[in-house]
Amino acid sequence: MLPFNHPERTADERTTLVSFLDYHRAMILWKLDGLDEDQAKRSMVDSGTSLLGIVKHLAWVERWWFVDYIGGTDLDYPWTDDDPDADWRIEDGESIASISQLYVDAVAEANAVIAAAPDLDITGSKLEVPRSLRWVLVHMIEEVARHLGHADILREQIDGATGYLPGD
């Protein structure tokens, strides 16, 4: 689990962006809380999306944008040109614990890259059109929030659980 901290209200730009991203990251993992393995892996939509698949996908997206693109580290990814959605699929041997740890580790790696960046204007060099760290942070807030909405609906379909925060 990642800690729930309400986003900073009077902080500088970097702290504000990271605190909103961290808040949504914690909520994504919370959506798995109390589920068994079958429930977390269950898909109830034609795309095959599952709660655990969302978390796995987000772990790899964190690594791509922050560690690889901004940080400049070349990583191996589960997807290929022939299997572009492999980061959504739960493989044999993967579990709530292993995928949650993958996500927690990816978040820690991403936050280390963010903290080490001299400013939010730095860009990566792996895309034809450069994106700043500021853009990547805003994009990742959007990405996690979008999938959090999907997770809300899937969780409600699985066991009726709803809520914006733990304790709702």
Side-chain angles (χ1 to χ4, degrees), residues 29-66:
L29 280 185
W30 172 60
K31 291 299 174 178
L32 294 172
D33 193 44
L35 295 179
D36 64 32
E37 296 293 332
D38 289 336
Q39 290 172 315
K41 294 175 184 178
R42 184 180 307 153
S43 171
M44 292 158 293
V45 294
D46 290 342
S47 67
T49 302
S50 68
L51 281 171
L52 203 54
I54 289 171
V55 176
K56 182 178 178 180
H57 165 73
L58 287 173
W60 287 108
V61 172
E62 292 269 356
R63 284 194 161 133
W64 157 243
W65 280 112
F66 292 113

Short mmCIF file of all heavy atoms in Angstrom, two decimals, residues 29-66:
data_model
loop_
_atom_site.label_atom_id
_atom_site.label_comp_id
_atom_site.label_asym_id
_atom_site.label_seq_id
_atom_site.Cartn_x
_atom_site.Cartn_y
_atom_site.Cartn_z
N LEU A 29 -4.10 1.54 -5.66
CA LEU A 29 -3.80 0.32 -4.90
C LEU A 29 -4.91 0.00 -3.91
O LEU A 29 -5.20 -1.18 -3.65
CB LEU A 29 -2.46 0.46 -4.17
CG LEU A 29 -1.22 0.23 -5.00
CD1 LEU A 29 0.03 0.29 -4.13
CD2 LEU A 29 -1.27 -1.09 -5.76
N TRP A 30 -5.53 1.02 -3.35
CA TRP A 30 -6.62 0.80 -2.40
C TRP A 30 -7.77 0.04 -3.05
O TRP A 30 -8.46 -0.75 -2.39
CB TRP A 30 -7.09 2.14 -1.83
CG TRP A 30 -8.33 2.04 -1.00
CD1 TRP A 30 -8.49 1.29 0.14
CD2 TRP A 30 -9.58 2.67 -1.25
NE1 TRP A 30 -9.78 1.45 0.63
CE2 TRP A 30 -10.45 2.29 -0.22
CE3 TRP A 30 -10.04 3.53 -2.23
CZ2 TRP A 30 -11.76 2.74 -0.14
CZ3 TRP A 30 -11.34 3.99 -2.16
CH2 TRP A 30 -12.19 3.59 -1.13
N LYS A 31 -7.97 0.20 -4.35
CA LYS A 31 -9.06 -0.50 -5.03
C LYS A 31 -8.88 -2.01 -5.00
O LYS A 31 -9.83 -2.76 -5.21
CB LYS A 31 -9.21 0.00 -6.48
CG LYS A 31 -9.71 1.42 -6.58
CD LYS A 31 -11.08 1.55 -5.97
CE LYS A 31 -11.55 2.98 -5.92
NZ LYS A 31 -12.91 3.09 -5.36
N LEU A 32 -7.67 -2.50 -4.72
CA LEU A 32 -7.42 -3.94 -4.60
C LEU A 32 -7.66 -4.45 -3.18
O LEU A 32 -7.73 -5.66 -2.97
CB LEU A 32 -5.98 -4.27 -5.00
CG LEU A 32 -5.59 -4.03 -6.45
CD1 LEU A 32 -4.08 -4.21 -6.62
CD2 LEU A 32 -6.36 -4.96 -7.37
N ASP A 33 -7.75 -3.55 -2.23
CA ASP A 33 -7.83 -3.92 -0.82
C ASP A 33 -9.05 -4.81 -0.53
O ASP A 33 -10.17 -4.46 -0.89
CB ASP A 33 -7.88 -2.66 0.05
CG ASP A 33 -7.65 -2.95 1.50
OD1 ASP A 33 -6.74 -3.74 1.81
OD2 ASP A 33 -8.39 -2.39 2.34
N GLY A 34 -8.80 -5.95 0.06
CA GLY A 34 -9.87 -6.86 0.47
C GLY A 34 -10.32 -7.84 -0.60
O GLY A 34 -11.19 -8.67 -0.34
N LEU A 35 -9.74 -7.76 -1.80
CA LEU A 35 -10.13 -8.69 -2.86
C LEU A 35 -9.27 -9.95 -2.79
O LEU A 35 -8.11 -9.91 -2.38
CB LEU A 35 -9.94 -8.05 -4.23
CG LEU A 35 -10.81 -6.85 -4.57
CD1 LEU A 35 -10.48 -6.33 -5.96
CD2 LEU A 35 -12.29 -7.19 -4.46
N ASP A 36 -9.84 -11.06 -3.25
CA ASP A 36 -9.02 -12.26 -3.41
C ASP A 36 -8.43 -12.25 -4.82
O ASP A 36 -8.75 -11.38 -5.64
CB ASP A 36 -9.80 -13.53 -3.09
CG ASP A 36 -10.97 -13.80 -4.04
OD1 ASP A 36 -10.89 -13.45 -5.24
OD2 ASP A 36 -11.96 -14.40 -3.58
N GLU A 37 -7.56 -13.20 -5.10
CA GLU A 37 -6.85 -13.23 -6.38
C GLU A 37 -7.81 -13.30 -7.57
O GLU A 37 -7.62 -12.58 -8.56
CB GLU A 37 -5.87 -14.41 -6.43
CG GLU A 37 -4.76 -14.34 -5.41
CD GLU A 37 -3.77 -13.20 -5.63
OE1 GLU A 37 -3.57 -12.77 -6.77
OE2 GLU A 37 -3.20 -12.74 -4.62
N ASP A 38 -8.82 -14.14 -7.48
CA ASP A 38 -9.76 -14.28 -8.59
C ASP A 38 -10.52 -12.98 -8.84
O ASP A 38 -10.73 -12.59 -9.99
CB ASP A 38 -10.75 -15.42 -8.34
CG ASP A 38 -10.11 -16.79 -8.44
OD1 ASP A 38 -9.06 -16.91 -9.13
OD2 ASP A 38 -10.64 -17.73 -7.84
N GLN A 39 -10.93 -12.31 -7.78
CA GLN A 39 -11.64 -11.05 -7.94
C GLN A 39 -10.75 -9.99 -8.59
O GLN A 39 -11.19 -9.26 -9.47
CB GLN A 39 -12.15 -10.55 -6.59
CG GLN A 39 -13.28 -11.37 -6.01
CD GLN A 39 -13.61 -10.95 -4.60
OE1 GLN A 39 -12.72 -10.75 -3.76
NE2 GLN A 39 -14.90 -10.83 -4.32
N ALA A 40 -9.52 -9.90 -8.15
CA ALA A 40 -8.61 -8.88 -8.67
C ALA A 40 -8.27 -9.12 -10.14
O ALA A 40 -7.99 -8.16 -10.88
CB ALA A 40 -7.33 -8.84 -7.85
N LYS A 41 -8.29 -10.39 -10.56
CA LYS A 41 -7.95 -10.74 -11.95
C LYS A 41 -9.17 -10.80 -12.86
O LYS A 41 -9.02 -10.92 -14.07
CB LYS A 41 -7.24 -12.10 -11.96
CG LYS A 41 -5.89 -12.08 -11.27
CD LYS A 41 -5.29 -13.47 -11.19
CE LYS A 41 -3.99 -13.46 -10.40
NZ LYS A 41 -3.42 -14.81 -10.27
N ARG A 42 -10.35 -10.71 -12.29
CA ARG A 42 -11.59 -10.87 -13.05
C ARG A 42 -11.83 -9.69 -13.99
O ARG A 42 -11.72 -8.54 -13.61
CB ARG A 42 -12.78 -10.99 -12.11
CG ARG A 42 -14.10 -11.24 -12.81
CD ARG A 42 -15.27 -11.35 -11.85
NE ARG A 42 -14.98 -12.34 -10.82
CZ ARG A 42 -15.51 -12.32 -9.60
NH1 ARG A 42 -16.33 -11.34 -9.26
NH2 ARG A 42 -15.20 -13.25 -8.73
N SER A 43 -12.18 -10.03 -15.21
CA SER A 43 -12.59 -9.02 -16.18
C SER A 43 -14.08 -9.15 -16.43
O SER A 43 -14.59 -10.25 -16.60
CB SER A 43 -11.83 -9.20 -17.49
OG SER A 43 -12.39 -8.34 -18.47
N MET A 44 -14.74 -8.03 -16.45
CA MET A 44 -16.18 -8.03 -16.72
C MET A 44 -16.50 -7.14 -17.92
O MET A 44 -17.62 -6.72 -18.10
CB MET A 44 -16.93 -7.58 -15.48
CG MET A 44 -16.82 -8.61 -14.37
SD MET A 44 -17.11 -7.93 -12.75
CE MET A 44 -15.71 -6.88 -12.58
N VAL A 45 -15.47 -6.86 -18.71
CA VAL A 45 -15.63 -6.03 -19.90
C VAL A 45 -14.97 -6.72 -21.09
O VAL A 45 -14.05 -7.52 -20.92
CB VAL A 45 -15.06 -4.61 -19.70
CG1 VAL A 45 -15.87 -3.84 -18.65
CG2 VAL A 45 -13.59 -4.66 -19.29
N ASP A 46 -15.44 -6.41 -22.28
CA ASP A 46 -14.94 -7.08 -23.49
C ASP A 46 -13.45 -6.88 -23.72
O ASP A 46 -12.80 -7.74 -24.32
CB ASP A 46 -15.71 -6.60 -24.72
CG ASP A 46 -17.15 -7.09 -24.74
OD1 ASP A 46 -17.46 -8.06 -24.02
OD2 ASP A 46 -17.95 -6.50 -25.48
N SER A 47 -12.89 -5.78 -23.24
CA SER A 47 -11.46 -5.52 -23.45
C SER A 47 -10.57 -6.45 -22.65
O SER A 47 -9.38 -6.56 -22.93
CB SER A 47 -11.13 -4.07 -23.07
OG SER A 47 -11.29 -3.90 -21.67
N GLY A 48 -11.13 -7.12 -21.64
CA GLY A 48 -10.34 -7.99 -20.79
C GLY A 48 -9.71 -7.27 -19.60
O GLY A 48 -8.96 -7.87 -18.83
N THR A 49 -10.00 -6.00 -19.45
CA THR A 49 -9.43 -5.20 -18.36
C THR A 49 -9.84 -5.74 -17.00
O THR A 49 -11.02 -6.05 -16.78
CB THR A 49 -9.87 -3.73 -18.48
OG1 THR A 49 -9.45 -3.24 -19.76
CG2 THR A 49 -9.30 -2.87 -17.38
N SER A 50 -8.87 -5.86 -16.11
CA SER A 50 -9.12 -6.26 -14.72
C SER A 50 -8.49 -5.22 -13.80
O SER A 50 -7.64 -4.43 -14.24
CB SER A 50 -8.51 -7.63 -14.43
OG SER A 50 -7.09 -7.55 -14.46
N LEU A 51 -8.89 -5.24 -12.54
CA LEU A 51 -8.28 -4.31 -11.58
C LEU A 51 -6.78 -4.53 -11.49
O LEU A 51 -6.00 -3.58 -11.52
CB LEU A 51 -8.92 -4.48 -10.19
CG LEU A 51 -10.26 -3.81 -10.00
CD1 LEU A 51 -10.87 -4.23 -8.66
CD2 LEU A 51 -10.13 -2.31 -10.06
N LEU A 52 -6.37 -5.78 -11.41
CA LEU A 52 -4.94 -6.06 -11.30
C LEU A 52 -4.21 -5.69 -12.59
O LEU A 52 -3.08 -5.20 -12.55
CB LEU A 52 -4.73 -7.54 -10.95
CG LEU A 52 -3.40 -7.88 -10.29
CD1 LEU A 52 -3.13 -7.04 -9.06
CD2 LEU A 52 -3.37 -9.36 -9.95
N GLY A 53 -4.87 -5.87 -13.72
CA GLY A 53 -4.29 -5.45 -14.99
C GLY A 53 -4.07 -3.95 -15.07
O GLY A 53 -3.07 -3.48 -15.62
N ILE A 54 -4.99 -3.19 -14.51
CA ILE A 54 -4.82 -1.73 -14.47
C ILE A 54 -3.57 -1.37 -13.68
O ILE A 54 -2.77 -0.54 -14.11
CB ILE A 54 -6.08 -1.05 -13.87
CG1 ILE A 54 -7.26 -1.14 -14.84
CG2 ILE A 54 -5.78 0.42 -13.52
CD1 ILE A 54 -8.58 -0.69 -14.24
N VAL A 55 -3.39 -1.99 -12.53
CA VAL A 55 -2.23 -1.69 -11.69
C VAL A 55 -0.94 -2.08 -12.41
O VAL A 55 0.04 -1.32 -12.40
CB VAL A 55 -2.34 -2.38 -10.31
CG1 VAL A 55 -1.09 -2.15 -9.48
CG2 VAL A 55 -3.58 -1.87 -9.56
N LYS A 56 -0.94 -3.24 -13.06
CA LYS A 56 0.26 -3.66 -13.80
C LYS A 56 0.57 -2.67 -14.92
O LYS A 56 1.71 -2.26 -15.10
CB LYS A 56 0.05 -5.07 -14.35
CG LYS A 56 1.26 -5.61 -15.09
CD LYS A 56 1.02 -7.04 -15.59
CE LYS A 56 2.21 -7.57 -16.36
NZ LYS A 56 1.97 -8.96 -16.85
N HIS A 57 -0.45 -2.29 -15.68
CA HIS A 57 -0.27 -1.32 -16.75
C HIS A 57 0.31 -0.01 -16.22
O HIS A 57 1.27 0.53 -16.78
CB HIS A 57 -1.62 -1.07 -17.44
CG HIS A 57 -1.64 0.14 -18.31
ND1 HIS A 57 -1.01 0.18 -19.53
CD2 HIS A 57 -2.21 1.36 -18.13
CE1 HIS A 57 -1.20 1.38 -20.08
NE2 HIS A 57 -1.93 2.10 -19.24
N LEU A 58 -0.24 0.48 -15.13
CA LEU A 58 0.24 1.75 -14.57
C LEU A 58 1.67 1.65 -14.07
O LEU A 58 2.44 2.62 -14.18
CB LEU A 58 -0.70 2.24 -13.46
CG LEU A 58 -2.04 2.78 -13.96
CD1 LEU A 58 -2.96 3.08 -12.78
CD2 LEU A 58 -1.86 4.02 -14.83
N ALA A 59 2.06 0.50 -13.55
CA ALA A 59 3.46 0.33 -13.12
C ALA A 59 4.39 0.52 -14.31
O ALA A 59 5.42 1.21 -14.21
CB ALA A 59 3.66 -1.05 -12.49
N TRP A 60 4.05 -0.10 -15.43
CA TRP A 60 4.91 0.01 -16.61
C TRP A 60 4.87 1.39 -17.24
O TRP A 60 5.87 1.87 -17.75
CB TRP A 60 4.57 -1.10 -17.61
CG TRP A 60 5.06 -2.41 -17.12
CD1 TRP A 60 4.32 -3.45 -16.64
CD2 TRP A 60 6.43 -2.81 -16.99
NE1 TRP A 60 5.13 -4.47 -16.23
CE2 TRP A 60 6.44 -4.11 -16.45
CE3 TRP A 60 7.64 -2.20 -17.30
CZ2 TRP A 60 7.61 -4.81 -16.19
CZ3 TRP A 60 8.82 -2.90 -17.05
CH2 TRP A 60 8.79 -4.18 -16.51
N VAL A 61 3.72 2.06 -17.16
CA VAL A 61 3.63 3.42 -17.68
C VAL A 61 4.49 4.36 -16.82
O VAL A 61 5.18 5.24 -17.35
CB VAL A 61 2.15 3.88 -17.74
CG1 VAL A 61 2.04 5.35 -18.08
CG2 VAL A 61 1.39 3.06 -18.77
N GLU A 62 4.46 4.18 -15.50
CA GLU A 62 5.34 4.96 -14.61
C GLU A 62 6.80 4.79 -15.03
O GLU A 62 7.55 5.76 -15.13
CB GLU A 62 5.19 4.51 -13.15
CG GLU A 62 3.87 4.81 -12.50
CD GLU A 62 3.83 6.15 -11.80
OE1 GLU A 62 4.85 6.85 -11.72
OE2 GLU A 62 2.73 6.50 -11.31
N ARG A 63 7.17 3.55 -15.23
CA ARG A 63 8.57 3.28 -15.60
C ARG A 63 8.92 3.89 -16.95
O ARG A 63 10.00 4.43 -17.13
CB ARG A 63 8.83 1.78 -15.58
CG ARG A 63 8.95 1.26 -14.16
CD ARG A 63 9.52 -0.12 -14.12
NE ARG A 63 10.02 -0.38 -12.78
CZ ARG A 63 9.77 -1.48 -12.10
NH1 ARG A 63 9.05 -2.44 -12.64
NH2 ARG A 63 10.26 -1.63 -10.90
N TRP A 64 8.02 3.76 -17.93
CA TRP A 64 8.32 4.32 -19.25
C TRP A 64 8.52 5.83 -19.17
O TRP A 64 9.55 6.36 -19.59
CB TRP A 64 7.22 3.97 -20.26
CG TRP A 64 7.19 4.95 -21.41
CD1 TRP A 64 6.17 5.79 -21.73
CD2 TRP A 64 8.24 5.24 -22.36
NE1 TRP A 64 6.52 6.58 -22.80
CE2 TRP A 64 7.79 6.25 -23.22
CE3 TRP A 64 9.52 4.74 -22.56
CZ2 TRP A 64 8.55 6.77 -24.26
CZ3 TRP A 64 10.29 5.26 -23.60
CH2 TRP A 64 9.81 6.26 -24.43
N TRP A 65 7.55 6.56 -18.61
CA TRP A 65 7.62 8.02 -18.65
C TRP A 65 8.70 8.58 -17.74
O TRP A 65 9.42 9.51 -18.15
CB TRP A 65 6.27 8.64 -18.30
CG TRP A 65 5.34 8.63 -19.46
CD1 TRP A 65 4.19 7.89 -19.58
CD2 TRP A 65 5.48 9.35 -20.68
NE1 TRP A 65 3.62 8.12 -20.81
CE2 TRP A 65 4.38 9.02 -21.50
CE3 TRP A 65 6.42 10.25 -21.17
CZ2 TRP A 65 4.20 9.56 -22.77
CZ3 TRP A 65 6.25 10.79 -22.44
CH2 TRP A 65 5.14 10.44 -23.22
N PHE A 66 8.82 8.08 -16.54
CA PHE A 66 9.76 8.69 -15.60
C PHE A 66 11.16 8.08 -15.69
O PHE A 66 12.14 8.79 -15.85
CB PHE A 66 9.23 8.62 -14.17
CG PHE A 66 8.02 9.48 -13.95
CD1 PHE A 66 6.79 8.91 -13.69
CD2 PHE A 66 8.11 10.87 -14.00
CE1 PHE A 66 5.67 9.71 -13.49
CE2 PHE A 66 7.00 11.67 -13.81
CZ PHE A 66 5.77 11.09 -13.55
#
